[in-house]
Amino acid sequence: MKKWIFPFQLAIFFSLLTACEQTAQPGEQKPLLPPGISFIEAVGAQAGKTLIPYQKYKLDNGLTLLLHQDNSDPLVHVDVTYHVGSAREEPGKSGFAHFFEHMMFQGSEHVGDEQHFKIVTEAGGTMNGTTNSDRTNYFQTIPANQLEKILWLEADRMGFLLNAVTREKFEVQRETVKNERGQRIDNRPYGRLYERVSQALYPPEHPYSWPVIGYMEDLNRVNVNDLKAFFLRWYGPNNATLTIGGDINPEQTLALVAKYFAAIPSGPEVKMPEKPQITLDGDRYISMQDNVHLPLLYMTYPTVYVRHEDEAPLDLLSTILGGGKTSLLYKNLVKNQLAVQASVNHPCSELACTFNLLALPHPASGKSLADIEKIIRDTLLEFEQRGVEDDDLIKAKAQMEAGFIFGLQSVAGKVSQLAANQTFTGDANYITRDIARYAGVGKADVLRVYRRYIKDKHAVIMSIVPQGKPEAIAAADNFFPVKRNFAPASDTSAADLQLRQVSDSLDRSKIPVSGANKAVPLPKMWQQSLANGINMLGSQSLETPTTSLLLKIPAGHYFERKEKAGTAAILARMLNESTLKRSAEDMSKALQKLGSSVAISAGNHYLRININTLTKNLDATLALVDEKIRQPAFKASDFNRVKNNAIEQVINNKKDPGYLASTAYRQLLYGDNIAAIGSSGNEASLGSLALQDIKTFYQEHLKPFNAQLIIVSDRSKAQLMASLQYLENWQGKGAELALSLPLPETKTGVIYLVHKDNAPQSAIRIGKRALKLDITGEYYQSTLMNFPLGGAFNSRINLNLREDKGYTYGARSGFRGDKLSGSFTASAQVRGDVTDKSIIELVREIQTYARQGITADELAFMRNAINQKDALKYETPRAKLAFLAQILEHDLSPDFVRQREKIVSAITADDINALAKKHLKLKEMVMVVVGNSHKLKPELEALGYQVIPYEI
């Protein structure tokens, strides 16, 4: 089913939001504006209407400014969206927009190399950037007092970037992009699926025919001046929307925007792109062999474009056909174990949408990809005969309503919605039209779009099959993309560029000085213990009419027997199947009609039940959850399907280098112990499970005593307790956990090498067993010690391997722990040809830090970064839920946050250095490498290490 993300979701609560302070009503005098800024419109809250209040302004240079005031938390979210993505690139020059996402973080004329991340992190903020086919956005969430600093940073890279774009930076980031492609596409199972399908679906000149990340051949032939020319064409203020939301003073914010952005010159004129209709003259069959376990069939039909009048009914059609357990494809493929997975979605972009159907056949079914294709086509005919039912409309609209509300619980969510609507429609308030078009979908509309875009229409049919099994494809390839003609290396010179110079008297070399952080109040909490042993901790949050609950039952992975590993995980899946009252499909339908979600999973210590619902549907949702937990049917047919799919998933995971590395590393750290096996189990342990094992585990462990229930809701404690009275009828105490995790006799100082065929990258783990989790003790202090080594983007490890060497897309280190054990791990996924060099650098960074310790600048950076994050910790119900869960699990006083602040402020360089010497001893660490062992073994042995082949 389509994931409902802004701006295409439904809500009913925004009429509750108050208007911005500066909203101008008809006839009211508008506020005085700084020179160079014009008022466009103000949208305030209106009874009975759904909207996000905002003010809209335009700068003389074309920059659009949106302000949204929300004083509920002392933080601000800043988003700069440029209306440029891979769709604005030219054939032969792919990947430029994504490449600039990287370059925009590499410093600008007044911001030093790697300083953008450092400044934001030190300010207590978070940041990132994303690129898709149609837009690039850069965003930061920061304490409210840091707003001017962020506007200074964003303005500097908008107006002063190119002088800082050097050939050296260009070359390093080109390698980083290659690493990103290797990690996310080339070294991942099915990673090239969308790239291959797009080549077949779109004409070669269509901008969606190439991947957003680009072809590496294109990036290899261009030079730094090609990138600069692309920036000059598309990154002017007239092609950007600056959206600022949160705890702001609109008048002061306008002055700051004028100060930093008004003098930046406009770029060339930008027009909205055309949206050509894509049609196919016949079914196009394509295929590829990949390093996968399960074959895959993917069918894609071209449809419309985003916000087309037919988008909404096509979305609903995708839900009926492949949206979870109530869908037709689930019934015809997954329920009867013909497929491990089957789904349908209808993603939309600015120029085109696609209707996609996907299935992975179950090996035991004996069904080929050709068989699967026929079943899918028969399912389409079944829909045509079945038609659209009343429940289809009810479910979809309820999910949209809930998804929209939950997606906008943060300032970032509201800002992102405003920015997207403004960028693609010119109307930041487009939400009202979105709501109307989805609410207006009827049964006839869904049937109409089926007949227009799917019935008897042509598709691209992609087969991905395991290496060496070309005969397994659905049909012989009948489409072959035009061979790309790679031009010679570019000769674009600096003289070809038409630079734009900013002319003003502002001294932009000075970083704005921020005032003191606003006080961040801790969430107000209430606590209650029930007679049956459930401990409850809750907090009221009035921002949205929602309730989120987390129920943690001590029945996790560590309660299992080693030979039955995966029992808790299978139990979690079985609790999502049939109950004694209704089928899994009926249960799913009931939850969907409420717009509620219930996710059940198993961790090491707890079985976790996450519940999210609109508060008006809380009681009905809790009744369904109670039925799931206390009345599971444990049908043999459900168990066999769940178990078999879990086994196939474990086998399929072995094609992923990260999974292989983590699995081998865990085994080496814990030896012959339940902790050495992942919570999902392995082939042997899952294969040994019988339904009675699941029933016995459920009967012994799924009890309320010592369970923890954490709640964040707009309801009061008294109201919630009335809804939770039914829990008193649940009785019982589960078996106590009796587990010790002794250190195994694993040989250290050697490299354990796991083979992966034709791996373009290598996954590396270096680490050891370490401290158990504590909240204010040595474990916490050790996480502070690690921060400059590998705990931030600007850490030594990441700057070395990613920014200086271009070996990886990202490298890190950190401590992890629980009540029984802990570990320290340094990790990276690197280019295969620099595996040995990467290990040298990782070892050098760890040893140097242990020997020489932290610098004064690093200590100050760590203190500021950690202690200024408070505003971000409790904003959303989800964040509050995690905070309360930590308090309840570890029996903390809420002021542990203040204790941590004192620790961060008081810890000295000597304290840090002593911890580094104690915990960063290379001779105690194991090393795991996953890659092409035939090539890597001699290279690693040349480093002086004993290399031990290791099998998973």
Side-chain angles (χ1 to χ4, degrees), residues 421-479:
N421 282 343
Q422 175 62 39
T423 298
F424 295 119
T425 71
D427 179 8
N429 191 34
Y430 199 88
I431 179 178
T432 56
R433 280 186 270 179
D434 271 328
I435 291 167
R437 66 193 179 97
Y438 277 97
V441 174
K443 295 179 182 180
D445 297 309
V446 180
L447 288 168
R448 174 180 56 79
V449 297
Y450 165 76
R451 295 188 180 103
R452 180 172 181 180
Y453 301 103
I454 309 300
K455 178 178 170 59
D456 299 327
K457 297 300 186 292
H458 299 300
V460 173
I461 300 100
M462 174 73 172
S463 299
I464 298 180
V465 297
Q467 292 284 359
K469 295 185 178 181
E471 71 282 357
I473 63 176
D477 289 17
N478 66 358
F479 176 84

Side-chain angles (χ1 to χ4, degrees), residues 329-400:
L329 272 192
Y330 183 88
K331 173 180 71 73
N332 293 342
L333 284 171
V334 180
K335 181 74 172 178
N336 54 16
Q337 299 189 59
L338 299 183
V340 173
Q341 178 183 341
S343 63
V344 182
N345 66 359
H346 183 241
C348 277
S349 299
E350 187 172 23
L351 308 183
C353 306
T354 56
F355 196 90
N356 309 315
L357 304 98
L358 174 150
L360 286 82
H362 198 296
S365 71
K367 297 296 183 182
S368 67
L369 289 185
D371 296 329
I372 296 297
E373 180 186 351
K374 183 178 186 305
I375 295 171
I376 290 176
R377 293 186 184 276
D378 288 344
T379 301
L380 294 177
L381 296 176
E382 179 185 350
F383 163 74
E384 192 173 356
Q385 296 171 356
R386 166 193 183 272
V388 181
E389 299 175 351
D390 291 337
D391 278 354
D392 294 331
L393 299 177
I394 294 171
K395 288 186 304 181
K397 293 175 182 180
Q399 288 177 284
M400 289 159 58

Side-chain angles (χ1 to χ4, degrees), residues 513-550:
V513 177
S514 302
N517 276 7
K518 290 187 176 182
V520 184
L522 293 172
K524 293 182 180 179
M525 304 169 221
W526 56 265
Q527 193 158 4
Q528 181 80 37
S529 293
L530 301 182
N532 60 2
I534 296 180
N535 300 308
M536 303 170 62
L537 187 61
S539 179
Q540 189 172 24
S541 176
L542 299 174
E543 292 184 47
T544 57
T546 60
T547 298
S548 295
L549 304 96
L550 171 60

Side-chain angles (χ1 to χ4, degrees), residues 190 193 288-290 292 294-297 369 462-466:
Y190 315 106
L193 167 65
M288 66 176 288
Q289 298 178 54
D290 198 3
V292 297
L294 296 173
L296 176 148
L297 185 80
L369 289 185
M462 174 73 172
S463 299
I464 298 180
V465 297

Side-chain angles (χ1 to χ4, degrees), residues 476-682:
D477 289 17
N478 66 358
F479 176 84
F480 303 91
V482 176
K483 189 173 182 180
R484 301 184 68 240
N485 181 21
F486 296 109
S490 172
D491 59 358
T492 304
S493 69
D496 298 322
L497 305 177
Q498 297 181 358
L499 299 174
R500 300 189 294 269
Q501 299 295 331
V502 178
S503 178
D504 66 358
S505 59
L506 181 63
D507 183 358
R508 296 176 183 263
S509 64
K510 295 181 179 179
I511 301 178
V513 177
S514 302
N517 276 7
K518 290 187 176 182
V520 184
L522 293 172
K524 293 182 180 179
M525 304 169 221
W526 56 265
Q527 193 158 4
Q528 181 80 37
S529 293
L530 301 182
N532 60 2
I534 296 180
N535 300 308
M536 303 170 62
L537 187 61
S539 179
Q540 189 172 24
S541 176
L542 299 174
E543 292 184 47
T544 57
T546 60
T547 298
S548 295
L549 304 96
L550 171 60
L551 177 61
K552 298 168 60 179
I553 304 170
H557 174 54
Y558 282 174
F559 288 82
E560 305 165 349
R561 305 201 317 268
K562 181 170 65 70
E563 64 274 14
K564 298 289 184 179
T567 301
I570 296 295
L571 171 60
R573 295 189 186 191
M574 289 296 292
L575 294 178
N576 277 320
E577 295 295 331
S578 304
T579 69
L580 294 176
K581 289 185 176 180
R582 68 191 87 204
S583 68
E585 293 81 4
D586 288 340
M587 173 62 75
S588 180
K589 181 187 294 185
L591 286 168
Q592 288 175 353
K593 289 170 72 172
L594 295 171
S596 302
S597 66
V598 179
I600 306 177
S601 61
N604 286 340
H605 292 272
Y606 297 97
L607 189 137
R608 300 165 61 95
I609 302 169
N610 281 277
I611 306 161
N612 291 294
T613 182
L614 301 179
T615 301
K616 65 181 182 180
N617 297 328
L618 175 61
D619 290 350
T621 300
L622 290 177
L624 294 172
V625 173
D626 184 55
E627 183 180 324
K628 277 176 169 284
I629 297 173
R630 298 172 63 186
Q631 301 183 63
F634 290 128
K635 290 183 177 180
S637 57
D638 289 341
F639 171 73
N640 290 333
R641 171 172 38 81
V642 165
K643 171 185 168 179
N644 291 336
N645 285 355
I647 292 173
E648 293 303 322
Q649 184 177 351
V650 167
I651 297 172
N652 208 40
N653 285 342
K654 290 185 177 181
K655 300 297 183 179
D656 180 80
Y659 175 86
L660 292 173
S662 296
T663 300
Y665 183 64
R666 186 188 306 111
Q667 291 173 356
L668 292 165
L669 288 191
Y670 289 97
D672 187 21
N673 198 293
I674 186 66
I677 306 174
S679 60
S680 57
N682 54 39

